DNA sequence: TTCAGTGCAAAAACTTTGCAGGAGG
DNA sequence: CCTCCTGCAAAGTTTTTGCACTGAA
């Protein structure tokens, strides 16, 4: 997704939900999309501060939640007790492989995951909305 | 796993790792196995305090980590920023279905999950040690 | 003009650490 | 007797909240 399209989509979402259109929210959007694949709210806040942005920590947290609600970002959580965000555009059904040695996060797309999720949900009378699928272990470099 | 067997297994593990055999560690073990399927360290600490146990918070955290290391408990994390523990006895390869409405956690066992994990790991030159597989959505009661 | 959104700092929630005293081996 | 473990409290981390002010509609 390019930046302009993202900007417009977020704007529409804000209007629809009667949230105000503020420059701070678009600043967060812009940094979020320039940031790496997986970042935390605080990382982004510090990055923005470095980049001479004056957006406050509270606003960063708030704006990221709005971006999750409008499905432009997805929340992840990899075992440490902190929340990561990632762009969710065109990224359904993917799995994270997380190296316990170096923390590297590899993403893998596998068509069978979605099928499996649906079949498990169905079997348990459960309405599937999203999933987290993390495989923990050692990456190639650290498998000694 | 019955309580005595668990006690013995933990004892052997402690000896093997040159950890001391202390009454506090076995108290934590005992409460952990009487506690629900998924509990946090702090929940357990408060429960123990209620139960007139004098074990400190630090010791609860420490002992739970030892129980994870000896593979009697598994660490989980369901999207909120806190660590849950669960008994890992006879519970490889299971998936959690978490209701966003009421927080209920359903467990599902599915033989295909392990196969899929192994095949994804292999494809990415990754050594699979464990996984987290959570499906988020609505349970039967809340699917309206 | 109005009130949602903002910045700031304080509080909250969960976990880890430092230290002095106590008990396991 | 030597340390590892313990309890306690303090500190650390990440996230949320309260409050007074500001700016979007």
């Amino acid at each position: 997704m390019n930046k302009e399209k993202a900007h417009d989509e977020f704007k529409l979402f804000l209007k629809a939900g009667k949230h105000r259109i503020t420059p701070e929210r678009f600043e967060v959007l812009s940094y979020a999309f320039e940031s790496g694949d997986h970042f935390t709210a605080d990382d982004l806040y510090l990055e923005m501060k470095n980049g001479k942005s004056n957006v406050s920590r509270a606003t960063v947290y708030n704006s990221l939640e709005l971006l999750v609600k409008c499905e432009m970002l997805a929340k992840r959580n990899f075992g440490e007790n902190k929340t990561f965000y990632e762009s969710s555009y065109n990224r359904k059904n993917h799995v994270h492989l997380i190296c316990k040695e170096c923390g590297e996060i590899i993403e893998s797309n596998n068509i069978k995951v979605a099928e499996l999720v649906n079949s498990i949900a169905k079997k348990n009378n459960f309405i599937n909305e999203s999933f987290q699928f993390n495989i923990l272990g050692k990456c190639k470099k650290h498998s000694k």
Side-chain angles (χ1 to χ4, degrees), chain A residues 1-115:
Chain A
M1 168 155 16
N2 70 48
K3 224 162 167 173
E4 261 161 69
K5 203 177 152 192
H7 187 287
D8 292 349
E9 195 172 316
F10 192 31
K11 199 164 168 180
L12 284 174
F13 166 82
L14 291 174
K15 279 195 175 173
K18 310 209 169 167
H19 299 288
R20 289 190 177 160
I21 312 288
T22 70
E24 288 85 357
R25 287 174 172 168
F26 291 100
E27 259 189 90
V28 172
L29 171 66
S30 164
Y31 273 84
F33 275 72
E34 272 168 18
S35 198
D37 279 350
H38 304 95
F39 58 89
T40 69
D42 223 61
D43 290 346
L44 199 71
Y45 166 69
L46 295 172
E47 220 172 278
M48 292 180 74
K49 199 158 196 178
N50 252 354
K52 310 299 172 221
S53 177
N54 285 313
V55 175
S56 72
R57 189 174 256 119
T59 299
V60 172
Y61 276 86
N62 162 31
S63 301
L64 289 174
E65 284 311 296
L66 287 170
L67 286 164
V68 170
K69 280 208 185 101
C70 94
E71 297 186 301
M72 299 177 72
L73 294 180
K75 252 179 168 170
R76 301 282 173 193
N77 147 322
F78 300 116
E80 298 163 276
N81 291 320
K82 51 185 166 177
T83 302
F84 285 84
Y85 294 88
E86 67 178 18
S87 166
S88 59
Y89 179 68
N90 216 358
R91 289 169 167 230
K92 308 281 175 194
N93 310 328
H94 75 280
V95 179
H96 293 102
L97 297 123
I98 304 157
C99 180
K100 283 183 176 176
E101 302 299 318
C102 64
E104 196 195 352
I105 301 171
I106 305 164
E107 287 183 8
S108 168
N109 284 285
N110 190 311
I111 188 79
K112 284 185 184 160
V113 175
E115 290 169 24

